[in-house]
Amino acid sequence: PMPFAERAVVELANESKTRHRQYFYVDYETYEDALPENLGYFHAEFRRENPFGGWGHEITVNAPEANIVNKGRTAWEDNYVILETQGRGHYLGCNLSVTNFQGTWWGEGDDMIWVDGYKWPPELHGTGSEDYLNQAWGMQANAFLRNGSSIHEQNTNGYQTSYVHHLENPVRFEREIKVTIEHGHGNHLCNEMSSVAYWYADKPCAAVKPPPVAKRMPVLRDNQNRWPYDKANQVTTQTVKVNKEMRAMKKQWAAKMKGGK
């Protein structure tokens, strides 16, 4: 539901260079009495990191060198941000997409959700991306009412879109919320990540402005089946600051690769 108190505008903007034919139906209801004051306004917000600014993309997922400590302010600042907003409301879930440049398992990152400001540990701290998406041992090619894969990586040679909508157990906040997820162990991966977060707020508020069209274009494999790195469509808003432990793990991994182990 998308309640409105005074007026509502629905727009579809064609930002491509191709003419587009579109038709649609809009169903809505109006009432003589005012809507209840506690009825929230629906919001959605798109974010993208292409690539995500991880600290050790060369390290294979689940290798010991990737398993660093990621907690406290480091996690707060480095995790991929799905939603960060102020006000009063409740978070309902998201779509999460990954273009898997590295080629190994992308979903070892934990979900971490902070309600009404920073503290450690956060109010919600999960055990893995697929667990937050109600899957296990990776993502499965299924699609249910509240969770699933709208696009599965086995059918696309490395691109995955998943969703989880927890309408029955929303995350409520009074002042602010920050919904994040690690990308790889302690944010070591540099894959493309994008998401759309869904929430209700007591007052209408602005969402983050999406990147321009060129920065939203999908990453497609080239004729040699490689992922191209085209700066024209890249957008990286944050890069993980490499600390002492990360530098040691990168050095250890480089030595392992040099030794052929």
Side-chain angles (χ1 to χ4, degrees), residues 48 50 57 96-107 139 151-162 183 189-194 218-221 225-229:
R48 188 188 196 192
N50 178 34
H57 191 69
L96 185 67
S97 299
V98 180
T99 306
N100 193 355
F101 297 147
Q102 195 196 66
T104 56
W105 168 231
W106 52 266
M139 298 302 301
I151 301 174
H152 195 268
E153 55 197 332
Q154 290 181 353
N155 302 321
T156 61
N157 200 16
Y159 181 77
Q160 172 81 32
T161 295
S162 310
H183 187 41
L189 291 177
C190 296
N191 295 320
E192 184 266 343
M193 294 273 289
S194 62
V219 182
L220 304 176
R221 289 183 183 268
N225 202 32
R226 298 172 302 187
W227 295 110
Y229 285 84

mmCIF file of all heavy atoms in Angstrom, residues 48 50 57 96-107 139 151-162 183 189-194 218-221 225-229:
data_model
loop_
_atom_site.group_PDB
_atom_site.id
_atom_site.type_symbol
_atom_site.label_atom_id
_atom_site.label_comp_id
_atom_site.label_asym_id
_atom_site.label_seq_id
_atom_site.Cartn_x
_atom_site.Cartn_y
_atom_site.Cartn_z
ATOM 1 N N ARG A 48 23.942 1.747 -5.409
ATOM 2 C CA ARG A 48 24.823 0.896 -6.205
ATOM 3 C C ARG A 48 26.282 1.215 -5.921
ATOM 4 O O ARG A 48 26.649 2.377 -5.732
ATOM 5 C CB ARG A 48 24.560 1.087 -7.700
ATOM 6 C CG ARG A 48 25.316 0.076 -8.571
ATOM 7 C CD ARG A 48 25.206 0.387 -10.043
ATOM 8 N NE ARG A 48 25.596 -0.771 -10.848
ATOM 9 C CZ ARG A 48 25.820 -0.742 -12.149
ATOM 10 N NH1 ARG A 48 25.690 0.399 -12.824
ATOM 11 N NH2 ARG A 48 26.158 -1.825 -12.810
ATOM 12 N N ASN A 50 29.796 0.013 -7.886
ATOM 13 C CA ASN A 50 30.331 -0.724 -9.034
ATOM 14 C C ASN A 50 31.744 -0.240 -9.378
ATOM 15 O O ASN A 50 31.903 0.722 -10.123
ATOM 16 C CB ASN A 50 29.422 -0.551 -10.248
ATOM 17 C CG ASN A 50 29.966 -1.256 -11.494
ATOM 18 O OD1 ASN A 50 30.596 -2.307 -11.385
ATOM 19 N ND2 ASN A 50 29.758 -0.670 -12.657
ATOM 20 N N HIS A 57 40.195 -8.177 -3.001
ATOM 21 C CA HIS A 57 39.443 -8.916 -4.008
ATOM 22 C C HIS A 57 40.232 -10.090 -4.580
ATOM 23 O O HIS A 57 39.649 -11.041 -5.118
ATOM 24 C CB HIS A 57 39.033 -7.972 -5.144
ATOM 25 C CG HIS A 57 38.049 -8.559 -6.105
ATOM 26 N ND1 HIS A 57 36.739 -8.824 -5.762
ATOM 27 C CD2 HIS A 57 38.170 -8.939 -7.402
ATOM 28 C CE1 HIS A 57 36.101 -9.332 -6.805
ATOM 29 N NE2 HIS A 57 36.939 -9.415 -7.810
ATOM 30 N N LEU A 96 18.479 -7.358 -3.534
ATOM 31 C CA LEU A 96 19.935 -7.288 -3.492
ATOM 32 C C LEU A 96 20.500 -7.972 -4.728
ATOM 33 O O LEU A 96 20.172 -9.131 -4.997
ATOM 34 C CB LEU A 96 20.472 -7.965 -2.226
ATOM 35 C CG LEU A 96 21.981 -7.864 -1.985
ATOM 36 C CD1 LEU A 96 22.383 -6.428 -1.704
ATOM 37 C CD2 LEU A 96 22.395 -8.764 -0.821
ATOM 38 N N SER A 97 21.322 -7.250 -5.488
ATOM 39 C CA SER A 97 21.890 -7.783 -6.730
ATOM 40 C C SER A 97 23.415 -7.759 -6.668
ATOM 41 O O SER A 97 24.011 -6.835 -6.114
ATOM 42 C CB SER A 97 21.422 -6.959 -7.933
ATOM 43 O OG SER A 97 20.022 -6.999 -8.057
ATOM 44 N N VAL A 98 24.024 -8.789 -7.262
ATOM 45 C CA VAL A 98 25.480 -8.918 -7.284
ATOM 46 C C VAL A 98 25.922 -9.365 -8.669
ATOM 47 O O VAL A 98 25.364 -10.314 -9.229
ATOM 48 C CB VAL A 98 25.975 -9.946 -6.242
ATOM 49 C CG1 VAL A 98 27.497 -10.068 -6.287
ATOM 50 C CG2 VAL A 98 25.519 -9.566 -4.849
ATOM 51 N N THR A 99 26.907 -8.678 -9.220
ATOM 52 C CA THR A 99 27.613 -9.160 -10.402
ATOM 53 C C THR A 99 28.932 -9.724 -9.912
ATOM 54 O O THR A 99 29.790 -8.981 -9.430
ATOM 55 C CB THR A 99 27.855 -8.028 -11.420
ATOM 56 O OG1 THR A 99 26.611 -7.393 -11.719
ATOM 57 C CG2 THR A 99 28.446 -8.586 -12.698
ATOM 58 N N ASN A 100 29.086 -11.033 -10.007
ATOM 59 C CA ASN A 100 30.170 -11.748 -9.328
ATOM 60 C C ASN A 100 31.444 -11.752 -10.175
ATOM 61 O O ASN A 100 31.741 -12.713 -10.875
ATOM 62 C CB ASN A 100 29.712 -13.173 -9.017
ATOM 63 C CG ASN A 100 30.639 -13.882 -8.055
ATOM 64 O OD1 ASN A 100 31.676 -13.360 -7.673
ATOM 65 N ND2 ASN A 100 30.255 -15.083 -7.660
ATOM 66 N N PHE A 101 32.206 -10.671 -10.077
ATOM 67 C CA PHE A 101 33.446 -10.560 -10.850
ATOM 68 C C PHE A 101 34.457 -11.627 -10.456
ATOM 69 O O PHE A 101 35.164 -12.176 -11.300
ATOM 70 C CB PHE A 101 34.080 -9.177 -10.652
ATOM 71 C CG PHE A 101 33.242 -8.036 -11.133
ATOM 72 C CD1 PHE A 101 33.277 -6.809 -10.481
ATOM 73 C CD2 PHE A 101 32.410 -8.163 -12.235
ATOM 74 C CE1 PHE A 101 32.515 -5.737 -10.920
ATOM 75 C CE2 PHE A 101 31.632 -7.105 -12.681
ATOM 76 C CZ PHE A 101 31.692 -5.890 -12.017
ATOM 77 N N GLN A 102 34.571 -11.912 -9.158
ATOM 78 C CA GLN A 102 35.591 -12.850 -8.705
ATOM 79 C C GLN A 102 35.266 -14.283 -9.114
ATOM 80 O O GLN A 102 36.157 -15.066 -9.408
ATOM 81 C CB GLN A 102 35.771 -12.771 -7.184
ATOM 82 C CG GLN A 102 37.063 -13.466 -6.728
ATOM 83 C CD GLN A 102 37.084 -13.737 -5.238
ATOM 84 O OE1 GLN A 102 36.292 -14.531 -4.747
ATOM 85 N NE2 GLN A 102 38.011 -13.099 -4.541
ATOM 86 N N GLY A 103 34.002 -14.623 -9.114
ATOM 87 C CA GLY A 103 33.593 -15.946 -9.576
ATOM 88 C C GLY A 103 33.389 -16.971 -8.498
ATOM 89 O O GLY A 103 32.820 -18.031 -8.758
ATOM 90 N N THR A 104 33.854 -16.706 -7.275
ATOM 91 C CA THR A 104 33.602 -17.635 -6.185
ATOM 92 C C THR A 104 32.347 -17.187 -5.435
ATOM 93 O O THR A 104 31.615 -16.318 -5.890
ATOM 94 C CB THR A 104 34.810 -17.706 -5.243
ATOM 95 O OG1 THR A 104 35.113 -16.379 -4.762
ATOM 96 C CG2 THR A 104 36.021 -18.253 -5.970
ATOM 97 N N TRP A 105 32.085 -17.748 -4.293
ATOM 98 C CA TRP A 105 30.869 -17.455 -3.538
ATOM 99 C C TRP A 105 30.925 -16.023 -2.984
ATOM 100 O O TRP A 105 31.848 -15.649 -2.278
ATOM 101 C CB TRP A 105 30.703 -18.464 -2.428
ATOM 102 C CG TRP A 105 29.675 -18.168 -1.397
ATOM 103 C CD1 TRP A 105 29.845 -18.182 -0.047
ATOM 104 C CD2 TRP A 105 28.292 -17.844 -1.620
ATOM 105 N NE1 TRP A 105 28.673 -17.886 0.584
ATOM 106 C CE2 TRP A 105 27.694 -17.664 -0.366
ATOM 107 C CE3 TRP A 105 27.513 -17.680 -2.770
ATOM 108 C CZ2 TRP A 105 26.359 -17.334 -0.212
ATOM 109 C CZ3 TRP A 105 26.180 -17.337 -2.625
ATOM 110 C CH2 TRP A 105 25.619 -17.178 -1.360
ATOM 111 N N TRP A 106 29.894 -15.241 -3.279
ATOM 112 C CA TRP A 106 29.868 -13.825 -2.911
ATOM 113 C C TRP A 106 29.167 -13.551 -1.586
ATOM 114 O O TRP A 106 29.246 -12.437 -1.057
ATOM 115 C CB TRP A 106 29.144 -13.015 -3.997
ATOM 116 C CG TRP A 106 27.781 -13.546 -4.351
ATOM 117 C CD1 TRP A 106 27.478 -14.401 -5.366
ATOM 118 C CD2 TRP A 106 26.547 -13.293 -3.678
ATOM 119 N NE1 TRP A 106 26.139 -14.699 -5.381
ATOM 120 C CE2 TRP A 106 25.540 -14.023 -4.352
ATOM 121 C CE3 TRP A 106 26.184 -12.508 -2.581
ATOM 122 C CZ2 TRP A 106 24.204 -13.999 -3.952
ATOM 123 C CZ3 TRP A 106 24.850 -12.489 -2.187
ATOM 124 C CH2 TRP A 106 23.886 -13.221 -2.878
ATOM 125 N N GLY A 107 28.449 -14.548 -1.018
ATOM 126 C CA GLY A 107 27.515 -14.242 0.048
ATOM 127 C C GLY A 107 27.951 -14.534 1.461
ATOM 128 O O GLY A 107 27.099 -14.820 2.306
ATOM 129 N N MET A 139 22.620 -19.566 -2.765
ATOM 130 C CA MET A 139 21.289 -19.180 -3.217
ATOM 131 C C MET A 139 20.702 -20.273 -4.095
ATOM 132 O O MET A 139 21.397 -20.857 -4.915
ATOM 133 C CB MET A 139 21.360 -17.867 -3.995
ATOM 134 C CG MET A 139 21.870 -16.694 -3.176
ATOM 135 S SD MET A 139 20.868 -16.359 -1.703
ATOM 136 C CE MET A 139 19.269 -16.035 -2.448
ATOM 137 N N ILE A 151 16.450 -13.493 -10.310
ATOM 138 C CA ILE A 151 17.442 -13.891 -11.306
ATOM 139 C C ILE A 151 18.483 -14.736 -10.585
ATOM 140 O O ILE A 151 19.033 -14.305 -9.571
ATOM 141 C CB ILE A 151 18.128 -12.676 -11.963
ATOM 142 C CG1 ILE A 151 17.093 -11.780 -12.656
ATOM 143 C CG2 ILE A 151 19.186 -13.118 -12.959
ATOM 144 C CD1 ILE A 151 17.660 -10.488 -13.216
ATOM 145 N N HIS A 152 18.741 -15.945 -11.086
ATOM 146 C CA HIS A 152 19.693 -16.831 -10.411
ATOM 147 C C HIS A 152 20.994 -16.931 -11.184
ATOM 148 O O HIS A 152 20.994 -17.045 -12.410
ATOM 149 C CB HIS A 152 19.098 -18.228 -10.208
ATOM 150 C CG HIS A 152 19.868 -19.056 -9.236
ATOM 151 N ND1 HIS A 152 20.881 -19.907 -9.629
ATOM 152 C CD2 HIS A 152 19.796 -19.138 -7.882
ATOM 153 C CE1 HIS A 152 21.380 -20.492 -8.549
ATOM 154 N NE2 HIS A 152 20.744 -20.042 -7.479
ATOM 155 N N GLU A 153 22.111 -16.906 -10.459
ATOM 156 C CA GLU A 153 23.434 -16.828 -11.069
ATOM 157 C C GLU A 153 23.773 -18.027 -11.955
ATOM 158 O O GLU A 153 24.574 -17.900 -12.890
ATOM 159 C CB GLU A 153 24.495 -16.674 -9.975
ATOM 160 C CG GLU A 153 24.456 -17.746 -8.906
ATOM 161 C CD GLU A 153 25.217 -17.322 -7.653
ATOM 162 O OE1 GLU A 153 26.159 -16.527 -7.770
ATOM 163 O OE2 GLU A 153 24.860 -17.800 -6.557
ATOM 164 N N GLN A 154 23.166 -19.167 -11.707
ATOM 165 C CA GLN A 154 23.432 -20.330 -12.564
ATOM 166 C C GLN A 154 22.900 -20.127 -13.985
ATOM 167 O O GLN A 154 23.375 -20.768 -14.916
ATOM 168 C CB GLN A 154 22.816 -21.580 -11.946
ATOM 169 C CG GLN A 154 23.509 -22.059 -10.682
ATOM 170 C CD GLN A 154 22.879 -23.307 -10.113
ATOM 171 O OE1 GLN A 154 21.834 -23.761 -10.575
ATOM 172 N NE2 GLN A 154 23.508 -23.881 -9.091
ATOM 173 N N ASN A 155 21.924 -19.252 -14.138
ATOM 174 C CA ASN A 155 21.339 -18.999 -15.446
ATOM 175 C C ASN A 155 21.975 -17.810 -16.169
ATOM 176 O O ASN A 155 21.651 -17.550 -17.329
ATOM 177 C CB ASN A 155 19.837 -18.730 -15.299
ATOM 178 C CG ASN A 155 19.114 -19.884 -14.640
ATOM 179 O OD1 ASN A 155 19.421 -21.048 -14.900
ATOM 180 N ND2 ASN A 155 18.164 -19.579 -13.777
ATOM 181 N N THR A 156 22.854 -17.087 -15.483
ATOM 182 C CA THR A 156 23.403 -15.850 -16.047
ATOM 183 C C THR A 156 24.924 -15.806 -16.047
ATOM 184 O O THR A 156 25.507 -14.781 -16.384
ATOM 185 C CB THR A 156 22.892 -14.632 -15.253
ATOM 186 O OG1 THR A 156 23.325 -14.763 -13.897
ATOM 187 C CG2 THR A 156 21.373 -14.552 -15.289
ATOM 188 N N ASN A 157 25.548 -16.893 -15.608
ATOM 189 C CA ASN A 157 27.015 -16.939 -15.570
ATOM 190 C C ASN A 157 27.594 -15.863 -14.655
ATOM 191 O O ASN A 157 28.609 -15.243 -14.974
ATOM 192 C CB ASN A 157 27.593 -16.800 -16.988
ATOM 193 C CG ASN A 157 29.016 -17.313 -17.092
ATOM 194 O OD1 ASN A 157 29.500 -18.034 -16.222
ATOM 195 N ND2 ASN A 157 29.701 -16.941 -18.165
ATOM 196 N N GLY A 158 26.922 -15.632 -13.544
ATOM 197 C CA GLY A 158 27.531 -14.778 -12.535
ATOM 198 C C GLY A 158 26.738 -13.599 -12.042
ATOM 199 O O GLY A 158 27.235 -12.814 -11.233
ATOM 200 N N TYR A 159 25.478 -13.422 -12.475
ATOM 201 C CA TYR A 159 24.675 -12.297 -11.999
ATOM 202 C C TYR A 159 23.503 -12.826 -11.187
ATOM 203 O O TYR A 159 22.801 -13.738 -11.624
ATOM 204 C CB TYR A 159 24.155 -11.462 -13.174
ATOM 205 C CG TYR A 159 23.330 -10.273 -12.748
ATOM 206 C CD1 TYR A 159 23.941 -9.133 -12.245
ATOM 207 C CD2 TYR A 159 21.943 -10.308 -12.827
ATOM 208 C CE1 TYR A 159 23.192 -8.046 -11.839
ATOM 209 C CE2 TYR A 159 21.176 -9.226 -12.423
ATOM 210 C CZ TYR A 159 21.808 -8.098 -11.936
ATOM 211 O OH TYR A 159 21.059 -7.028 -11.524
ATOM 212 N N GLN A 160 23.285 -12.242 -10.005
ATOM 213 C CA GLN A 160 22.278 -12.735 -9.070
ATOM 214 C C GLN A 160 21.425 -11.580 -8.555
ATOM 215 O O GLN A 160 21.966 -10.537 -8.155
ATOM 216 C CB GLN A 160 22.945 -13.431 -7.880
ATOM 217 C CG GLN A 160 22.024 -13.812 -6.738
ATOM 218 C CD GLN A 160 21.270 -15.098 -6.998
ATOM 219 O OE1 GLN A 160 21.780 -15.991 -7.664
ATOM 220 N NE2 GLN A 160 20.069 -15.212 -6.444
ATOM 221 N N THR A 161 20.111 -11.743 -8.546
ATOM 222 C CA THR A 161 19.210 -10.793 -7.890
ATOM 223 C C THR A 161 18.301 -11.563 -6.944
ATOM 224 O O THR A 161 17.601 -12.492 -7.366
ATOM 225 C CB THR A 161 18.354 -10.011 -8.893
ATOM 226 O OG1 THR A 161 19.202 -9.184 -9.694
ATOM 227 C CG2 THR A 161 17.366 -9.118 -8.173
ATOM 228 N N SER A 162 18.332 -11.186 -5.684
ATOM 229 C CA SER A 162 17.551 -11.851 -4.646
ATOM 230 C C SER A 162 16.664 -10.823 -3.954
ATOM 231 O O SER A 162 16.884 -9.614 -4.073
ATOM 232 C CB SER A 162 18.462 -12.512 -3.614
ATOM 233 O OG SER A 162 19.450 -13.300 -4.244
ATOM 234 N N HIS A 183 30.286 -7.388 2.307
ATOM 235 C CA HIS A 183 30.463 -8.025 1.001
ATOM 236 C C HIS A 183 31.749 -8.836 1.055
ATOM 237 O O HIS A 183 32.852 -8.293 0.952
ATOM 238 C CB HIS A 183 30.516 -6.997 -0.121
ATOM 239 C CG HIS A 183 30.519 -7.628 -1.486
ATOM 240 N ND1 HIS A 183 29.712 -8.716 -1.797
ATOM 241 C CD2 HIS A 183 31.223 -7.368 -2.604
ATOM 242 C CE1 HIS A 183 29.926 -9.082 -3.046
ATOM 243 N NE2 HIS A 183 30.836 -8.286 -3.563
ATOM 244 N N LEU A 189 35.636 -8.230 -0.852
ATOM 245 C CA LEU A 189 35.354 -8.368 -2.280
ATOM 246 C C LEU A 189 35.106 -7.018 -2.961
ATOM 247 O O LEU A 189 34.732 -6.036 -2.325
ATOM 248 C CB LEU A 189 34.141 -9.268 -2.486
ATOM 249 C CG LEU A 189 34.329 -10.748 -2.131
ATOM 250 C CD1 LEU A 189 33.026 -11.510 -2.306
ATOM 251 C CD2 LEU A 189 35.426 -11.375 -2.985
ATOM 252 N N CYS A 190 35.293 -7.006 -4.277
ATOM 253 C CA CYS A 190 35.084 -5.804 -5.095
ATOM 254 C C CYS A 190 34.136 -6.090 -6.255
ATOM 255 O O CYS A 190 34.368 -5.641 -7.389
ATOM 256 C CB CYS A 190 36.417 -5.274 -5.636
ATOM 257 S SG CYS A 190 37.567 -4.700 -4.388
ATOM 258 N N ASN A 191 33.088 -6.857 -6.003
ATOM 259 C CA ASN A 191 32.084 -7.102 -7.026
ATOM 260 C C ASN A 191 31.161 -5.894 -7.164
ATOM 261 O O ASN A 191 31.182 -4.973 -6.346
ATOM 262 C CB ASN A 191 31.244 -8.330 -6.667
ATOM 263 C CG ASN A 191 32.064 -9.603 -6.671
ATOM 264 O OD1 ASN A 191 32.918 -9.793 -7.529
ATOM 265 N ND2 ASN A 191 31.803 -10.472 -5.708
ATOM 266 N N GLU A 192 30.331 -5.921 -8.204
ATOM 267 C CA GLU A 192 29.279 -4.922 -8.326
ATOM 268 C C GLU A 192 28.145 -5.289 -7.388
ATOM 269 O O GLU A 192 27.719 -6.442 -7.333
ATOM 270 C CB GLU A 192 28.787 -4.871 -9.781
ATOM 271 C CG GLU A 192 27.757 -3.793 -10.052
ATOM 272 C CD GLU A 192 26.317 -4.265 -9.944
ATOM 273 O OE1 GLU A 192 26.085 -5.496 -9.969
ATOM 274 O OE2 GLU A 192 25.424 -3.422 -9.813
ATOM 275 N N MET A 193 27.661 -4.312 -6.643
ATOM 276 C CA MET A 193 26.561 -4.519 -5.702
ATOM 277 C C MET A 193 25.514 -3.433 -5.919
ATOM 278 O O MET A 193 25.846 -2.257 -6.085
ATOM 279 C CB MET A 193 27.065 -4.425 -4.256
ATOM 280 C CG MET A 193 28.014 -5.514 -3.836
ATOM 281 S SD MET A 193 27.126 -6.954 -3.224
ATOM 282 C CE MET A 193 26.492 -6.336 -1.659
ATOM 283 N N SER A 194 24.244 -3.829 -5.923
ATOM 284 C CA SER A 194 23.176 -2.837 -5.975
ATOM 285 C C SER A 194 21.993 -3.352 -5.157
ATOM 286 O O SER A 194 21.874 -4.550 -4.897
ATOM 287 C CB SER A 194 22.756 -2.535 -7.411
ATOM 288 O OG SER A 194 22.254 -3.700 -8.041
ATOM 289 N N PRO A 218 24.100 -2.059 -16.721
ATOM 290 C CA PRO A 218 24.606 -3.355 -16.260
ATOM 291 C C PRO A 218 26.001 -3.636 -16.785
ATOM 292 O O PRO A 218 26.399 -3.108 -17.826
ATOM 293 C CB PRO A 218 23.588 -4.353 -16.818
ATOM 294 C CG PRO A 218 23.023 -3.664 -18.015
ATOM 295 C CD PRO A 218 22.978 -2.208 -17.664
ATOM 296 N N VAL A 219 26.725 -4.465 -16.053
ATOM 297 C CA VAL A 219 28.054 -4.906 -16.496
ATOM 298 C C VAL A 219 27.863 -6.210 -17.267
ATOM 299 O O VAL A 219 27.353 -7.190 -16.719
ATOM 300 C CB VAL A 219 28.998 -5.118 -15.299
ATOM 301 C CG1 VAL A 219 30.387 -5.518 -15.788
ATOM 302 C CG2 VAL A 219 29.070 -3.853 -14.446
ATOM 303 N N LEU A 220 28.260 -6.234 -18.519
ATOM 304 C CA LEU A 220 28.074 -7.398 -19.384
ATOM 305 C C LEU A 220 29.417 -7.993 -19.753
ATOM 306 O O LEU A 220 30.393 -7.268 -19.981
ATOM 307 C CB LEU A 220 27.318 -7.003 -20.656
ATOM 308 C CG LEU A 220 25.959 -6.321 -20.452
ATOM 309 C CD1 LEU A 220 25.377 -5.902 -21.789
ATOM 310 C CD2 LEU A 220 25.002 -7.245 -19.711
ATOM 311 N N ARG A 221 29.486 -9.309 -19.832
ATOM 312 C CA ARG A 221 30.729 -9.968 -20.227
ATOM 313 C C ARG A 221 31.079 -9.630 -21.681
ATOM 314 O O ARG A 221 30.199 -9.423 -22.520
ATOM 315 C CB ARG A 221 30.604 -11.486 -20.060
ATOM 316 C CG ARG A 221 30.562 -11.960 -18.612
ATOM 317 C CD ARG A 221 30.510 -13.472 -18.561
ATOM 318 N NE ARG A 221 30.408 -13.981 -17.213
ATOM 319 C CZ ARG A 221 31.454 -14.314 -16.452
ATOM 320 N NH1 ARG A 221 32.681 -14.173 -16.926
ATOM 321 N NH2 ARG A 221 31.280 -14.793 -15.240
ATOM 322 N N ASN A 225 34.373 -13.655 -22.639
ATOM 323 C CA ASN A 225 33.719 -14.113 -21.412
ATOM 324 C C ASN A 225 34.362 -13.525 -20.162
ATOM 325 O O ASN A 225 34.402 -14.143 -19.112
ATOM 326 C CB ASN A 225 33.715 -15.643 -21.329
ATOM 327 C CG ASN A 225 32.625 -16.154 -20.393
ATOM 328 O OD1 ASN A 225 31.559 -15.542 -20.268
ATOM 329 N ND2 ASN A 225 32.887 -17.271 -19.733
ATOM 330 N N ARG A 226 34.884 -12.304 -20.289
ATOM 331 C CA ARG A 226 35.480 -11.600 -19.159
ATOM 332 C C ARG A 226 34.586 -10.437 -18.749
ATOM 333 O O ARG A 226 33.861 -9.892 -19.565
ATOM 334 C CB ARG A 226 36.875 -11.073 -19.537
ATOM 335 C CG ARG A 226 37.888 -12.156 -19.908
ATOM 336 C CD ARG A 226 39.163 -11.535 -20.464
ATOM 337 N NE ARG A 226 38.879 -10.700 -21.629
ATOM 338 C CZ ARG A 226 39.820 -10.147 -22.395
ATOM 339 N NH1 ARG A 226 41.102 -10.321 -22.110
ATOM 340 N NH2 ARG A 226 39.475 -9.399 -23.436
ATOM 341 N N TRP A 227 34.699 -10.062 -17.475
ATOM 342 C CA TRP A 227 33.970 -8.883 -16.999
ATOM 343 C C TRP A 227 34.810 -7.653 -17.319
ATOM 344 O O TRP A 227 35.912 -7.498 -16.811
ATOM 345 C CB TRP A 227 33.741 -8.951 -15.489
ATOM 346 C CG TRP A 227 32.855 -10.053 -15.027
ATOM 347 C CD1 TRP A 227 33.230 -11.159 -14.323
ATOM 348 C CD2 TRP A 227 31.443 -10.166 -15.212
ATOM 349 N NE1 TRP A 227 32.148 -11.949 -14.061
ATOM 350 C CE2 TRP A 227 31.028 -11.365 -14.595
ATOM 351 C CE3 TRP A 227 30.482 -9.375 -15.840
ATOM 352 C CZ2 TRP A 227 29.705 -11.775 -14.589
ATOM 353 C CZ3 TRP A 227 29.166 -9.794 -15.833
ATOM 354 C CH2 TRP A 227 28.788 -10.988 -15.218
ATOM 355 N N PRO A 228 34.337 -6.745 -18.151
ATOM 356 C CA PRO A 228 35.112 -5.535 -18.458
ATOM 357 C C PRO A 228 34.994 -4.511 -17.329
ATOM 358 O O PRO A 228 33.958 -4.423 -16.662
ATOM 359 C CB PRO A 228 34.467 -5.008 -19.737
ATOM 360 C CG PRO A 228 33.042 -5.464 -19.638
ATOM 361 C CD PRO A 228 33.084 -6.795 -18.921
ATOM 362 N N TYR A 229 36.047 -3.760 -17.097
ATOM 363 C CA TYR A 229 36.035 -2.674 -16.131
ATOM 364 C C TYR A 229 35.990 -1.358 -16.901
ATOM 365 O O TYR A 229 37.002 -0.844 -17.358
ATOM 366 C CB TYR A 229 37.273 -2.739 -15.223
ATOM 367 C CG TYR A 229 37.177 -3.826 -14.180
ATOM 368 C CD1 TYR A 229 37.522 -5.137 -14.480
ATOM 369 C CD2 TYR A 229 36.715 -3.548 -12.898
ATOM 370 C CE1 TYR A 229 37.420 -6.143 -13.529
ATOM 371 C CE2 TYR A 229 36.603 -4.551 -11.946
ATOM 372 C CZ TYR A 229 36.963 -5.840 -12.264
ATOM 373 O OH TYR A 229 36.860 -6.836 -11.331
#
